[in-house]
């Protein structure tokens, strides 16, 4: 899951050239994605209190660089792939929609994931150097009233201390938009922040199929249409939970998350070294996600007659594509759909910088 390209030298060159690093940051419920002009990283949005590793400590640190994070109070956390690999399911913490107190719970966790993401960007930089950043991020459409609190949580100076870096992140500016707008900007703008002349649609819809929410937005020639945008508390987890329960029923043991995800994506479960076909059961498990997505589209856009193009993005995009395109033929699957929001946040931040 740790996807990277040209990490350290890219970040250092961007910092040297401009003095400030512009970052697109998508803190998704399933996966956190962070993008700069030369770098792209993704890791699972999970964390848990660190535990002692009695063997292969150095090998694990090398395999999962930046996945050991120390908070400013001294507590140590495993995040991302290391957390999934080393912690029992009961010790893993995840973002799961809105919390009882978003300011003290949800945004505290988002900040932890943001610090892990920045730490991965700055991997190899040490000595307490200060790096200056502009961040552009997003929230589910129906959670946008929490945007100011998220901005407050992310803005300012943060100590970023991981197993592979120690820097001070000085976040000078934070922009927050409805999450799916990132995918819209990924298609409406260029990497440099220019208007994409090949995007000629007036009314642009985006369907963002995430882990715990499905979000849609409608943009009418640059204007956000609130009445035709919204969220539903559904997502890929509905299928994951059904597959988890099914495998536990059949084999009388809990399966790791990565195994469940593999079955969801391939339809095959390997039992004692032998492949077992679960494709029919996977189709049944996906039915609630597909229904929730189509119901939200029908509620907000009816038949979609006035929507010129619908961009389908998010980690669950391919799982609902056939059903959505059948009902709405103007649907297009966004390239590298899981990273689209983060990519669009970066493009928008570059656009805002050029306008400023």
């Amino acid at each position: 899951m740790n996807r990277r390209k040209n990490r350290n030298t890219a970040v250092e060159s961007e910092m040297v050239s401009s003095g400030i690093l512009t970052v697109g940051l998508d803190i998704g419920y399933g996966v956190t994605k962070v993008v700069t002009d030369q770098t792209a990283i993704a890791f699972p949005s999970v964390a848990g209190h660190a535990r002692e590793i009695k063997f292969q400590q150095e090998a694990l640190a090398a395999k999962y660089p930046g996945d050991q994070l120390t908070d400013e109070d001294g507590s140590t956390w495993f995040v991302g792939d290391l957390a999934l690999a080393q912690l029992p399911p009961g010790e893993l913490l995840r973002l799961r929609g809105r919390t009882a107190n978003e300011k003290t719970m949800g945004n505290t966790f988002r900040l932890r994931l943001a610090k892990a993401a920045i730490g991965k960007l700055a991997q190899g930089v040490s000595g307490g150097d200060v790096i200056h950043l502009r961040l552009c991020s997003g929230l589910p459409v129906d959670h946008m009233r929490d945007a100011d609190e998220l901005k407050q949580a992310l803005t300012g100076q943060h100590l970023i201390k991981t197993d592979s870096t120690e820097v001070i992140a000085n976040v000078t500016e934070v922009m927050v938009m409805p999450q799916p707008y990132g995918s819209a900007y990924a298609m409406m703008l260029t990497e440099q922040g220019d208007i994409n002349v090949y995007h000629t649609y007036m009314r642009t819809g985006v369907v963002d199929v995430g882990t715990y929410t499905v979000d849609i937005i409608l943009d009418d020639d640059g204007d956000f249409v609130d009445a035709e945008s919204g969220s539903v508390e559904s997502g890929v987890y509905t299928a994951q939970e059904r597959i988890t329960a099914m495998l536990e029923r059949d084999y009388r043991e809990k399966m790791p998350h990565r195994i469940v995800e593999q079955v969801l994506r391939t339809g095959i479960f390997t039992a004692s070294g032998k492949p077992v076909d679960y494709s029919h059961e996977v189709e049944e498990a996906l039915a609630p996600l597909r229904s929730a997505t189509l119901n939200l589209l029908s509620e907000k856009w009816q038949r979609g007659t006035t929507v010129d193009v619908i961009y389908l993005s998010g980690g669950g995009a391919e799982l609902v594509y056939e059903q959505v395109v059948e009902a709405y033929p103007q649907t297009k699957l966004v390239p590298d759909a899981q990273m689209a929001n983060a990519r669009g946040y970066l493009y928008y931040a570059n656009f805002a910088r050029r306008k400023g």
Side-chain angles (χ1 to χ4, degrees):
M1 178 61 71
N2 267 307
R3 297 162 42 174
R4 306 176 171 90
K5 59 178 182 180
N6 305 333
R7 282 181 310 190
N8 301 342
T9 55
V11 172
E12 289 169 359
S13 65
E14 289 175 71
M15 288 292 297
V16 168
S17 63
S18 65
I20 190 165
L21 186 64
T22 301
V23 175
L25 177 64
D26 181 14
I27 307 174
Y29 291 128
V31 180
T32 295
K33 287 78 65 176
V34 59
V35 176
T36 71
D37 288 336
Q38 300 181 44
T39 312
I41 300 170
F43 61 93
S45 297
V46 297
H49 289 283
R51 56 169 54 204
E52 181 185 3
I53 298 177
K54 301 179 181 67
F55 181 58
Q56 294 183 330
Q57 297 95 329
E58 293 183 2
L60 287 169
K63 185 177 181 179
Y64 306 109
D67 280 4
Q68 299 179 56
L69 177 72
T70 302
D71 275 353
E72 294 183 16
D73 63 3
S75 58
T76 305
W77 295 77
F78 289 168
V79 299
D81 289 301
L82 178 64
L84 286 179
Q86 292 295 323
L87 299 179
E91 294 183 17
L92 292 173
L93 302 178
R94 302 174 182 267
L95 282 169
R96 290 182 179 270
R98 302 187 75 169
T99 58
N101 188 325
E102 196 70 5
K103 184 173 182 179
T104 59
M105 296 172 67
N107 285 338
T108 297
F109 197 76
R110 286 188 176 92
L111 176 59
R112 183 169 294 121
L113 293 174
K115 290 167 71 173
I118 295 168
K120 290 175 181 291
L121 284 178
Q123 186 177 316
V125 181
S126 60
D129 289 346
V130 178
I131 59 174
H132 305 281
L133 304 102
R134 300 167 68 243
L135 299 182
C136 187
S137 191
L139 283 170
V141 179
D142 288 353
H143 300 189
M144 277 301 294
R145 61 179 61 91
D146 300 317
D148 286 343
E149 291 181 350
L150 178 59
K151 288 181 183 179
Q152 291 174 15
L154 295 177
T155 303
Q157 292 199 348
H158 306 282
L159 172 65
I160 312 293
K161 186 177 181 180
T162 75
D163 54 288
S164 58
T165 191
E166 183 172 350
V167 297
I168 302 295
N170 180 38
V171 181
T172 59
E173 181 183 1
V174 178
M175 293 163 272
V176 179
M177 66 182 69
Q179 220 150 21
Y181 245 109
S183 295
Y185 288 132
M187 306 303 290
M188 295 162 67
L189 300 173
T190 68
E191 293 182 35
Q192 295 76 28
D194 295 317
I195 300 297
N196 179 9
V197 297
Y198 298 103
H199 176 91
T200 58
Y201 305 104
M202 295 291 289
R203 287 172 61 84
T204 300
V206 178
V207 183
D208 181 13
V209 184
T211 300
Y212 292 109
T213 63
V214 177
D215 293 90
I216 68 172
I217 61 104
L218 184 69
D219 178 273
D220 189 348
D221 195 23
D223 294 335
F224 173 65
V225 184
D226 185 80
E228 297 184 65
S229 304
S231 309
V232 62
E233 298 285 336
S234 180
V236 179
Y237 86 98
T238 57
Q240 292 171 340
E241 287 185 342
R242 284 172 176 250
I243 293 169
T244 298
M246 174 185 65
L247 293 175
E248 188 173 354
R249 177 201 67 204
D250 290 353
Y251 298 97
R252 300 180 185 274
E253 61 180 281
K254 279 190 174 295
M255 300 297 168
H257 177 80
R258 63 180 179 83
I259 298 293
V260 173
E261 183 69 11
Q262 185 178 17
V263 174
L264 174 63
R265 303 290 172 175
T266 67
I268 301 295
F269 174 68
T270 303
S272 302
K274 296 181 180 179
V276 181
D277 185 359
Y278 272 92
S279 54
H280 177 71
E281 290 83 355
V282 168
E283 286 297 303
E284 290 183 343
L286 285 168
L289 169 62
R290 291 165 173 167
S291 295
T293 303
L294 290 173
N295 287 343
L296 181 62
L297 289 171
S298 177
E299 175 194 343
K300 296 295 184 179
W301 297 343
Q302 289 76 53
R303 294 185 178 181
T305 308
T306 65
V307 183
D308 297 329
V309 65
I310 296 172
Y311 291 126
L312 189 60
S313 70
E318 294 182 1
L319 300 175
V320 304
Y321 173 73
E322 290 184 11
Q323 290 70 29
V324 174
V325 77
E326 182 179 356
Y328 300 89
Q330 68 272 52
T331 299
K332 299 178 183 295
L333 188 64
V334 178
D336 197 5
Q338 189 175 68
M339 299 294 288
N341 282 338
R343 202 164 57 241
Y345 298 155
L346 175 67
Y347 295 0
Y348 179 82
N350 287 337
F351 170 78
R353 180 177 59 186
R354 290 168 64 92
K355 286 190 66 176

